[in-house]
mmCIF file with all atom_site columns, all heavy atoms in Angstrom:
data_model
loop_
_atom_site.group_PDB
_atom_site.id
_atom_site.type_symbol
_atom_site.label_atom_id
_atom_site.label_alt_id
_atom_site.label_comp_id
_atom_site.label_asym_id
_atom_site.label_entity_id
_atom_site.label_seq_id
_atom_site.pdbx_PDB_ins_code
_atom_site.Cartn_x
_atom_site.Cartn_y
_atom_site.Cartn_z
_atom_site.occupancy
_atom_site.B_iso_or_equiv
_atom_site.pdbx_formal_charge
_atom_site.auth_seq_id
_atom_site.auth_comp_id
_atom_site.auth_asym_id
_atom_site.auth_atom_id
_atom_site.pdbx_PDB_model_num
ATOM 1   N N   . LEU A 1 1  ? 8.838  -8.079  4.745   1.00 98.00 ? 1  LEU A N   1
ATOM 2   C CA  . LEU A 1 1  ? 8.060  -7.406  5.783   1.00 98.00 ? 1  LEU A CA  1
ATOM 3   C C   . LEU A 1 1  ? 8.295  -8.127  7.099   1.00 98.00 ? 1  LEU A C   1
ATOM 4   O O   . LEU A 1 1  ? 7.837  -9.251  7.257   1.00 98.00 ? 1  LEU A O   1
ATOM 5   C CB  . LEU A 1 1  ? 6.546  -7.422  5.432   1.00 98.00 ? 1  LEU A CB  1
ATOM 6   C CG  . LEU A 1 1  ? 5.667  -6.658  6.377   1.00 98.00 ? 1  LEU A CG  1
ATOM 7   C CD1 . LEU A 1 1  ? 5.924  -5.158  6.269   1.00 98.00 ? 1  LEU A CD1 1
ATOM 8   C CD2 . LEU A 1 1  ? 4.184  -6.958  6.106   1.00 98.00 ? 1  LEU A CD2 1
ATOM 9   N N   . GLN A 1 2  ? 9.016  -7.484  7.969   1.00 98.00 ? 2  GLN A N   1
ATOM 10  C CA  . GLN A 1 2  ? 9.237  -7.984  9.302   1.00 98.00 ? 2  GLN A CA  1
ATOM 11  C C   . GLN A 1 2  ? 8.060  -7.539  10.188  1.00 98.00 ? 2  GLN A C   1
ATOM 12  O O   . GLN A 1 2  ? 7.866  -6.340  10.373  1.00 98.00 ? 2  GLN A O   1
ATOM 13  C CB  . GLN A 1 2  ? 10.590 -7.511  9.877   1.00 98.00 ? 2  GLN A CB  1
ATOM 14  C CG  . GLN A 1 2  ? 10.869 -8.000  11.287  1.00 98.00 ? 2  GLN A CG  1
ATOM 15  C CD  . GLN A 1 2  ? 11.077 -9.490  11.348  1.00 98.00 ? 2  GLN A CD  1
ATOM 16  O OE1 . GLN A 1 2  ? 11.731 -10.067 10.526  1.00 98.00 ? 2  GLN A OE1 1
ATOM 17  N NE2 . GLN A 1 2  ? 10.432 -10.141 12.338  1.00 98.00 ? 2  GLN A NE2 1
ATOM 18  N N   . MET A 1 3  ? 7.328  -8.488  10.727  1.00 98.00 ? 3  MET A N   1
ATOM 19  C CA  . MET A 1 3  ? 6.174  -8.216  11.529  1.00 98.00 ? 3  MET A CA  1
ATOM 20  C C   . MET A 1 3  ? 6.452  -8.638  12.970  1.00 98.00 ? 3  MET A C   1
ATOM 21  O O   . MET A 1 3  ? 6.639  -9.808  13.247  1.00 98.00 ? 3  MET A O   1
ATOM 22  C CB  . MET A 1 3  ? 4.941  -8.924  10.969  1.00 98.00 ? 3  MET A CB  1
ATOM 23  C CG  . MET A 1 3  ? 4.645  -8.626  9.526   1.00 98.00 ? 3  MET A CG  1
ATOM 24  S SD  . MET A 1 3  ? 3.128  -9.367  8.919   1.00 98.00 ? 3  MET A SD  1
ATOM 25  C CE  . MET A 1 3  ? 3.556  -11.122 9.060   1.00 98.00 ? 3  MET A CE  1
ATOM 26  N N   . ASN A 1 4  ? 6.463  -7.667  13.861  1.00 98.00 ? 4  ASN A N   1
ATOM 27  C CA  . ASN A 1 4  ? 6.713  -7.890  15.284  1.00 98.00 ? 4  ASN A CA  1
ATOM 28  C C   . ASN A 1 4  ? 5.492  -7.527  16.112  1.00 98.00 ? 4  ASN A C   1
ATOM 29  O O   . ASN A 1 4  ? 4.605  -6.778  15.641  1.00 98.00 ? 4  ASN A O   1
ATOM 30  C CB  . ASN A 1 4  ? 7.918  -7.085  15.791  1.00 98.00 ? 4  ASN A CB  1
ATOM 31  C CG  . ASN A 1 4  ? 9.210  -7.438  15.054  1.00 98.00 ? 4  ASN A CG  1
ATOM 32  O OD1 . ASN A 1 4  ? 9.439  -8.625  14.759  1.00 98.00 ? 4  ASN A OD1 1
ATOM 33  N ND2 . ASN A 1 4  ? 10.019 -6.457  14.753  1.00 98.00 ? 4  ASN A ND2 1
ATOM 34  N N   . SER A 1 5  ? 5.440  -7.984  17.338  1.00 98.00 ? 5  SER A N   1
ATOM 35  C CA  . SER A 1 5  ? 4.328  -7.701  18.259  1.00 98.00 ? 5  SER A CA  1
ATOM 36  C C   . SER A 1 5  ? 2.992  -7.928  17.584  1.00 98.00 ? 5  SER A C   1
ATOM 37  O O   . SER A 1 5  ? 2.084  -7.066  17.650  1.00 98.00 ? 5  SER A O   1
ATOM 38  C CB  . SER A 1 5  ? 4.454  -6.259  18.750  1.00 98.00 ? 5  SER A CB  1
ATOM 39  O OG  . SER A 1 5  ? 5.665  -6.052  19.417  1.00 98.00 ? 5  SER A OG  1
ATOM 40  N N   . LEU A 1 6  ? 2.855  -9.055  16.973  1.00 98.00 ? 6  LEU A N   1
ATOM 41  C CA  . LEU A 1 6  ? 1.637  -9.363  16.193  1.00 98.00 ? 6  LEU A CA  1
ATOM 42  C C   . LEU A 1 6  ? 0.415  -9.439  17.119  1.00 98.00 ? 6  LEU A C   1
ATOM 43  O O   . LEU A 1 6  ? 0.505  -9.921  18.248  1.00 98.00 ? 6  LEU A O   1
ATOM 44  C CB  . LEU A 1 6  ? 1.827  -10.644 15.420  1.00 98.00 ? 6  LEU A CB  1
ATOM 45  C CG  . LEU A 1 6  ? 2.695  -10.494 14.156  1.00 98.00 ? 6  LEU A CG  1
ATOM 46  C CD1 . LEU A 1 6  ? 3.143  -11.853 13.679  1.00 98.00 ? 6  LEU A CD1 1
ATOM 47  C CD2 . LEU A 1 6  ? 1.869  -9.795  13.058  1.00 98.00 ? 6  LEU A CD2 1
ATOM 48  N N   . LYS A 1 7  ? -0.694 -8.992  16.555  1.00 98.00 ? 7  LYS A N   1
ATOM 49  C CA  . LYS A 1 7  ? -1.956 -8.977  17.267  1.00 98.00 ? 7  LYS A CA  1
ATOM 50  C C   . LYS A 1 7  ? -2.969 -9.821  16.474  1.00 98.00 ? 7  LYS A C   1
ATOM 51  O O   . LYS A 1 7  ? -2.814 -10.014 15.254  1.00 98.00 ? 7  LYS A O   1
ATOM 52  C CB  . LYS A 1 7  ? -2.524 -7.525  17.346  1.00 98.00 ? 7  LYS A CB  1
ATOM 53  C CG  . LYS A 1 7  ? -1.572 -6.552  18.021  1.00 98.00 ? 7  LYS A CG  1
ATOM 54  C CD  . LYS A 1 7  ? -2.134 -5.148  17.963  1.00 98.00 ? 7  LYS A CD  1
ATOM 55  C CE  . LYS A 1 7  ? -1.209 -4.157  18.603  1.00 98.00 ? 7  LYS A CE  1
ATOM 56  N NZ  . LYS A 1 7  ? -1.758 -2.759  18.491  1.00 98.00 ? 7  LYS A NZ  1
ATOM 57  N N   . PRO A 1 8  ? -3.997 -10.331 17.152  1.00 98.00 ? 8  PRO A N   1
ATOM 58  C CA  . PRO A 1 8  ? -5.017 -11.120 16.439  1.00 98.00 ? 8  PRO A CA  1
ATOM 59  C C   . PRO A 1 8  ? -5.627 -10.339 15.237  1.00 98.00 ? 8  PRO A C   1
ATOM 60  O O   . PRO A 1 8  ? -5.974 -10.969 14.241  1.00 98.00 ? 8  PRO A O   1
ATOM 61  C CB  . PRO A 1 8  ? -6.040 -11.450 17.477  1.00 98.00 ? 8  PRO A CB  1
ATOM 62  C CG  . PRO A 1 8  ? -5.252 -11.481 18.749  1.00 98.00 ? 8  PRO A CG  1
ATOM 63  C CD  . PRO A 1 8  ? -4.218 -10.398 18.583  1.00 98.00 ? 8  PRO A CD  1
ATOM 64  N N   . GLU A 1 9  ? -5.767 -9.059  15.372  1.00 97.00 ? 9  GLU A N   1
ATOM 65  C CA  . GLU A 1 9  ? -6.312 -8.267  14.294  1.00 97.00 ? 9  GLU A CA  1
ATOM 66  C C   . GLU A 1 9  ? -5.414 -8.155  13.058  1.00 97.00 ? 9  GLU A C   1
ATOM 67  O O   . GLU A 1 9  ? -5.806 -7.641  12.010  1.00 97.00 ? 9  GLU A O   1
ATOM 68  C CB  . GLU A 1 9  ? -6.738 -6.872  14.760  1.00 97.00 ? 9  GLU A CB  1
ATOM 69  C CG  . GLU A 1 9  ? -5.639 -6.125  15.487  1.00 97.00 ? 9  GLU A CG  1
ATOM 70  C CD  . GLU A 1 9  ? -5.756 -6.238  17.022  1.00 97.00 ? 9  GLU A CD  1
ATOM 71  O OE1 . GLU A 1 9  ? -6.065 -7.337  17.498  1.00 97.00 ? 9  GLU A OE1 1
ATOM 72  O OE2 . GLU A 1 9  ? -5.598 -5.216  17.684  1.00 97.00 ? 9  GLU A OE2 1
ATOM 73  N N   . ASP A 1 10 ? -4.179 -8.646  13.176  1.00 98.00 ? 10 ASP A N   1
ATOM 74  C CA  . ASP A 1 10 ? -3.287 -8.704  12.047  1.00 98.00 ? 10 ASP A CA  1
ATOM 75  C C   . ASP A 1 10 ? -3.573 -9.904  11.163  1.00 98.00 ? 10 ASP A C   1
ATOM 76  O O   . ASP A 1 10 ? -2.983 -10.054 10.085  1.00 98.00 ? 10 ASP A O   1
ATOM 77  C CB  . ASP A 1 10 ? -1.817 -8.739  12.486  1.00 98.00 ? 10 ASP A CB  1
ATOM 78  C CG  . ASP A 1 10 ? -1.398 -7.448  13.176  1.00 98.00 ? 10 ASP A CG  1
ATOM 79  O OD1 . ASP A 1 10 ? -1.777 -6.347  12.706  1.00 98.00 ? 10 ASP A OD1 1
ATOM 80  O OD2 . ASP A 1 10 ? -0.637 -7.539  14.167  1.00 98.00 ? 10 ASP A OD2 1
ATOM 81  N N   . THR A 1 11 ? -4.412 -10.808 11.642  1.00 98.00 ? 11 THR A N   1
ATOM 82  C CA  . THR A 1 11 ? -4.750 -12.007 10.863  1.00 98.00 ? 11 THR A CA  1
ATOM 83  C C   . THR A 1 11 ? -5.365 -11.609 9.527   1.00 98.00 ? 11 THR A C   1
ATOM 84  O O   . THR A 1 11 ? -6.375 -10.882 9.479   1.00 98.00 ? 11 THR A O   1
ATOM 85  C CB  . THR A 1 11 ? -5.735 -12.897 11.648  1.00 98.00 ? 11 THR A CB  1
ATOM 86  O OG1 . THR A 1 11 ? -5.082 -13.371 12.836  1.00 98.00 ? 11 THR A OG1 1
ATOM 87  C CG2 . THR A 1 11 ? -6.177 -14.082 10.813  1.00 98.00 ? 11 THR A CG2 1
ATOM 88  N N   . ALA A 1 12 ? -4.781 -12.111 8.446   1.00 98.00 ? 12 ALA A N   1
ATOM 89  C CA  . ALA A 1 12 ? -5.255 -11.740 7.131   1.00 98.00 ? 12 ALA A CA  1
ATOM 90  C C   . ALA A 1 12 ? -4.415 -12.517 6.096   1.00 98.00 ? 12 ALA A C   1
ATOM 91  O O   . ALA A 1 12 ? -3.415 -13.121 6.410   1.00 98.00 ? 12 ALA A O   1
ATOM 92  C CB  . ALA A 1 12 ? -5.119 -10.249 6.878   1.00 98.00 ? 12 ALA A CB  1
ATOM 93  N N   . VAL A 1 13 ? -4.879 -12.466 4.869   1.00 98.00 ? 13 VAL A N   1
ATOM 94  C CA  . VAL A 1 13 ? -4.072 -12.880 3.743   1.00 98.00 ? 13 VAL A CA  1
ATOM 95  C C   . VAL A 1 13 ? -3.244 -11.665 3.322   1.00 98.00 ? 13 VAL A C   1
ATOM 96  O O   . VAL A 1 13 ? -3.817 -10.605 3.063   1.00 98.00 ? 13 VAL A O   1
ATOM 97  C CB  . VAL A 1 13 ? -4.888 -13.395 2.558   1.00 98.00 ? 13 VAL A CB  1
ATOM 98  C CG1 . VAL A 1 13 ? -3.989 -13.756 1.375   1.00 98.00 ? 13 VAL A CG1 1
ATOM 99  C CG2 . VAL A 1 13 ? -5.698 -14.650 3.005   1.00 98.00 ? 13 VAL A CG2 1
ATOM 100 N N   . TYR A 1 14 ? -1.969 -11.854 3.281   1.00 98.00 ? 14 TYR A N   1
ATOM 101 C CA  . TYR A 1 14 ? -1.050 -10.754 2.920   1.00 98.00 ? 14 TYR A CA  1
ATOM 102 C C   . TYR A 1 14 ? -0.623 -10.925 1.488   1.00 98.00 ? 14 TYR A C   1
ATOM 103 O O   . TYR A 1 14 ? -0.160 -11.996 1.053   1.00 98.00 ? 14 TYR A O   1
ATOM 104 C CB  . TYR A 1 14 ? 0.146  -10.747 3.830   1.00 98.00 ? 14 TYR A CB  1
ATOM 105 C CG  . TYR A 1 14 ? -0.123 -10.158 5.185   1.00 98.00 ? 14 TYR A CG  1
ATOM 106 C CD1 . TYR A 1 14 ? -0.936 -10.885 6.098   1.00 98.00 ? 14 TYR A CD1 1
ATOM 107 C CD2 . TYR A 1 14 ? 0.337  -8.936  5.602   1.00 98.00 ? 14 TYR A CD2 1
ATOM 108 C CE1 . TYR A 1 14 ? -1.233 -10.379 7.345   1.00 98.00 ? 14 TYR A CE1 1
ATOM 109 C CE2 . TYR A 1 14 ? 0.071  -8.418  6.832   1.00 98.00 ? 14 TYR A CE2 1
ATOM 110 C CZ  . TYR A 1 14 ? -0.744 -9.157  7.752   1.00 98.00 ? 14 TYR A CZ  1
ATOM 111 O OH  . TYR A 1 14 ? -1.040 -8.622  8.957   1.00 98.00 ? 14 TYR A OH  1
ATOM 112 N N   . TYR A 1 15 ? -0.789 -9.873  0.684   1.00 98.00 ? 15 TYR A N   1
ATOM 113 C CA  . TYR A 1 15 ? -0.509 -9.874  -0.740  1.00 98.00 ? 15 TYR A CA  1
ATOM 114 C C   . TYR A 1 15 ? 0.678  -8.931  -1.029  1.00 98.00 ? 15 TYR A C   1
ATOM 115 O O   . TYR A 1 15 ? 0.675  -7.767  -0.614  1.00 98.00 ? 15 TYR A O   1
ATOM 116 C CB  . TYR A 1 15 ? -1.712 -9.396  -1.549  1.00 98.00 ? 15 TYR A CB  1
ATOM 117 C CG  . TYR A 1 15 ? -2.947 -10.290 -1.431  1.00 98.00 ? 15 TYR A CG  1
ATOM 118 C CD1 . TYR A 1 15 ? -3.875 -10.055 -0.438  1.00 98.00 ? 15 TYR A CD1 1
ATOM 119 C CD2 . TYR A 1 15 ? -3.114 -11.336 -2.319  1.00 98.00 ? 15 TYR A CD2 1
ATOM 120 C CE1 . TYR A 1 15 ? -4.991 -10.870 -0.322  1.00 98.00 ? 15 TYR A CE1 1
ATOM 121 C CE2 . TYR A 1 15 ? -4.221 -12.137 -2.205  1.00 98.00 ? 15 TYR A CE2 1
ATOM 122 C CZ  . TYR A 1 15 ? -5.174 -11.903 -1.220  1.00 98.00 ? 15 TYR A CZ  1
ATOM 123 O OH  . TYR A 1 15 ? -6.285 -12.722 -1.127  1.00 98.00 ? 15 TYR A OH  1
ATOM 124 N N   . CYS A 1 16 ? 1.631  -9.466  -1.778  1.00 97.00 ? 16 CYS A N   1
ATOM 125 C CA  . CYS A 1 16 ? 2.689  -8.639  -2.280  1.00 97.00 ? 16 CYS A CA  1
ATOM 126 C C   . CYS A 1 16 ? 2.196  -7.867  -3.521  1.00 97.00 ? 16 CYS A C   1
ATOM 127 O O   . CYS A 1 16 ? 1.442  -8.476  -4.312  1.00 97.00 ? 16 CYS A O   1
ATOM 128 C CB  . CYS A 1 16 ? 3.906  -9.514  -2.603  1.00 97.00 ? 16 CYS A CB  1
ATOM 129 S SG  . CYS A 1 16 ? 5.322  -8.609  -3.277  1.00 97.00 ? 16 CYS A SG  1
ATOM 130 N N   . ALA A 1 17 ? 2.648  -6.644  -3.673  1.00 97.00 ? 17 ALA A N   1
ATOM 131 C CA  . ALA A 1 17 ? 2.269  -5.886  -4.861  1.00 97.00 ? 17 ALA A CA  1
ATOM 132 C C   . ALA A 1 17 ? 3.469  -5.071  -5.325  1.00 97.00 ? 17 ALA A C   1
ATOM 133 O O   . ALA A 1 17 ? 4.365  -4.722  -4.544  1.00 97.00 ? 17 ALA A O   1
ATOM 134 C CB  . ALA A 1 17 ? 1.113  -4.985  -4.587  1.00 97.00 ? 17 ALA A CB  1
ATOM 135 N N   . ALA A 1 18 ? 3.472  -4.769  -6.632  1.00 95.00 ? 18 ALA A N   1
ATOM 136 C CA  . ALA A 1 18 ? 4.543  -3.950  -7.184  1.00 95.00 ? 18 ALA A CA  1
ATOM 137 C C   . ALA A 1 18 ? 4.003  -3.012  -8.222  1.00 95.00 ? 18 ALA A C   1
ATOM 138 O O   . ALA A 1 18 ? 3.053  -3.349  -8.951  1.00 95.00 ? 18 ALA A O   1
ATOM 139 C CB  . ALA A 1 18 ? 5.620  -4.889  -7.800  1.00 95.00 ? 18 ALA A CB  1
ATOM 140 N N   . ASP A 1 19 ? 4.635  -1.860  -8.314  1.00 94.00 ? 19 ASP A N   1
ATOM 141 C CA  . ASP A 1 19 ? 4.287  -0.858  -9.313  1.00 94.00 ? 19 ASP A CA  1
ATOM 142 C C   . ASP A 1 19 ? 5.503  -0.549  -10.177 1.00 94.00 ? 19 ASP A C   1
ATOM 143 O O   . ASP A 1 19 ? 6.626  -0.478  -9.653  1.00 94.00 ? 19 ASP A O   1
ATOM 144 C CB  . ASP A 1 19 ? 3.806  0.452   -8.642  1.00 94.00 ? 19 ASP A CB  1
ATOM 145 C CG  . ASP A 1 19 ? 2.454  0.337   -8.003  1.00 94.00 ? 19 ASP A CG  1
ATOM 146 O OD1 . ASP A 1 19 ? 1.755  -0.647  -8.243  1.00 94.00 ? 19 ASP A OD1 1
ATOM 147 O OD2 . ASP A 1 19 ? 2.126  1.252   -7.254  1.00 94.00 ? 19 ASP A OD2 1
ATOM 148 N N   . LEU A 1 20 ? 5.281  -0.351  -11.442 1.00 90.00 ? 20 LEU A N   1
ATOM 149 C CA  . LEU A 1 20 ? 6.376  0.092   -12.326 1.00 90.00 ? 20 LEU A CA  1
ATOM 150 C C   . LEU A 1 20 ? 6.813  1.502   -11.984 1.00 90.00 ? 20 LEU A C   1
ATOM 151 O O   . LEU A 1 20 ? 7.992  1.806   -12.029 1.00 90.00 ? 20 LEU A O   1
ATOM 152 C CB  . LEU A 1 20 ? 5.962  0.001   -13.776 1.00 90.00 ? 20 LEU A CB  1
ATOM 153 C CG  . LEU A 1 20 ? 5.661  -1.407  -14.318 1.00 90.00 ? 20 LEU A CG  1
ATOM 154 C CD1 . LEU A 1 20 ? 5.234  -1.304  -15.778 1.00 90.00 ? 20 LEU A CD1 1
ATOM 155 C CD2 . LEU A 1 20 ? 6.842  -2.317  -14.167 1.00 90.00 ? 20 LEU A CD2 1
ATOM 156 N N   . ALA A 1 21 ? 5.872  2.351   -11.617 1.00 90.00 ? 21 ALA A N   1
ATOM 157 C CA  . ALA A 1 21 ? 6.160  3.710   -11.301 1.00 90.00 ? 21 ALA A CA  1
ATOM 158 C C   . ALA A 1 21 ? 6.246  3.884   -9.777  1.00 90.00 ? 21 ALA A C   1
ATOM 159 O O   . ALA A 1 21 ? 5.829  3.023   -9.019  1.00 90.00 ? 21 ALA A O   1
ATOM 160 C CB  . ALA A 1 21 ? 5.130  4.661   -11.880 1.00 90.00 ? 21 ALA A CB  1
ATOM 161 N N   . GLU A 1 22 ? 6.761  5.030   -9.368  1.00 91.00 ? 22 GLU A N   1
ATOM 162 C CA  . GLU A 1 22 ? 6.743  5.440   -7.962  1.00 91.00 ? 22 GLU A CA  1
ATOM 163 C C   . GLU A 1 22 ? 5.720  6.542   -7.866  1.00 91.00 ? 22 GLU A C   1
ATOM 164 O O   . GLU A 1 22 ? 5.911  7.619   -8.396  1.00 91.00 ? 22 GLU A O   1
ATOM 165 C CB  . GLU A 1 22 ? 8.127  5.905   -7.531  1.00 91.00 ? 22 GLU A CB  1
ATOM 166 C CG  . GLU A 1 22 ? 9.141  4.807   -7.458  1.00 91.00 ? 22 GLU A CG  1
ATOM 167 C CD  . GLU A 1 22 ? 10.441 5.256   -6.863  1.00 91.00 ? 22 GLU A CD  1
ATOM 168 O OE1 . GLU A 1 22 ? 10.627 6.477   -6.625  1.00 91.00 ? 22 GLU A OE1 1
ATOM 169 O OE2 . GLU A 1 22 ? 11.334 4.401   -6.618  1.00 91.00 ? 22 GLU A OE2 1
ATOM 170 N N   . THR A 1 23 ? 4.629  6.251   -7.138  1.00 91.00 ? 23 THR A N   1
ATOM 171 C CA  . THR A 1 23 ? 3.561  7.230   -6.967  1.00 91.00 ? 23 THR A CA  1
ATOM 172 C C   . THR A 1 23 ? 3.610  7.807   -5.546  1.00 91.00 ? 23 THR A C   1
ATOM 173 O O   . THR A 1 23 ? 3.726  7.021   -4.595  1.00 91.00 ? 23 THR A O   1
ATOM 174 C CB  . THR A 1 23 ? 2.216  6.586   -7.224  1.00 91.00 ? 23 THR A CB  1
ATOM 175 O OG1 . THR A 1 23 ? 2.176  6.050   -8.551  1.00 91.00 ? 23 THR A OG1 1
ATOM 176 C CG2 . THR A 1 23 ? 1.084  7.642   -7.122  1.00 91.00 ? 23 THR A CG2 1
ATOM 177 N N   . VAL A 1 24 ? 3.536  9.100   -5.485  1.00 90.00 ? 24 VAL A N   1
ATOM 178 C CA  . VAL A 1 24 ? 3.592  9.791   -4.200  1.00 90.00 ? 24 VAL A CA  1
ATOM 179 C C   . VAL A 1 24 ? 2.295  10.576  -3.988  1.00 90.00 ? 24 VAL A C   1
ATOM 180 O O   . VAL A 1 24 ? 1.866  11.317  -4.891  1.00 90.00 ? 24 VAL A O   1
ATOM 181 C CB  . VAL A 1 24 ? 4.820  10.691  -4.075  1.00 90.00 ? 24 VAL A CB  1
ATOM 182 C CG1 . VAL A 1 24 ? 4.818  11.448  -2.756  1.00 90.00 ? 24 VAL A CG1 1
ATOM 183 C CG2 . VAL A 1 24 ? 6.077  9.902   -4.218  1.00 90.00 ? 24 VAL A CG2 1
ATOM 184 N N   . ALA A 1 25 ? 1.663  10.461  -2.869  1.00 90.00 ? 25 ALA A N   1
ATOM 185 C CA  . ALA A 1 25 ? 0.490  11.225  -2.512  1.00 90.00 ? 25 ALA A CA  1
ATOM 186 C C   . ALA A 1 25 ? 0.689  11.820  -1.144  1.00 90.00 ? 25 ALA A C   1
ATOM 187 O O   . ALA A 1 25 ? 1.096  11.120  -0.180  1.00 90.00 ? 25 ALA A O   1
ATOM 188 C CB  . ALA A 1 25 ? -0.755 10.340  -2.533  1.00 90.00 ? 25 ALA A CB  1
ATOM 189 N N   . ALA A 1 26 ? 0.429  13.111  -0.997  1.00 87.00 ? 26 ALA A N   1
ATOM 190 C CA  . ALA A 1 26 ? 0.579  13.795  0.268   1.00 87.00 ? 26 ALA A CA  1
ATOM 191 C C   . ALA A 1 26 ? 1.988  13.638  0.798   1.00 87.00 ? 26 ALA A C   1
ATOM 192 O O   . ALA A 1 26 ? 2.169  13.549  2.030   1.00 87.00 ? 26 ALA A O   1
ATOM 193 C CB  . ALA A 1 26 ? -0.455 13.386  1.258   1.00 87.00 ? 26 ALA A CB  1
ATOM 194 N N   . GLY A 1 27 ? 2.974  13.580  -0.079  1.00 87.00 ? 27 GLY A N   1
ATOM 195 C CA  . GLY A 1 27 ? 4.343  13.518  0.334   1.00 87.00 ? 27 GLY A CA  1
ATOM 196 C C   . GLY A 1 27 ? 4.870  12.128  0.721   1.00 87.00 ? 27 GLY A C   1
ATOM 197 O O   . GLY A 1 27 ? 6.022  12.038  1.143   1.00 87.00 ? 27 GLY A O   1
#
């Protein structure tokens, strides 16, 4: 995840996640 033009509101703990399937909602 390349994060540019960072803002103070971007401050957070960032968690990586993975799914075995590919789920699509609303396209």
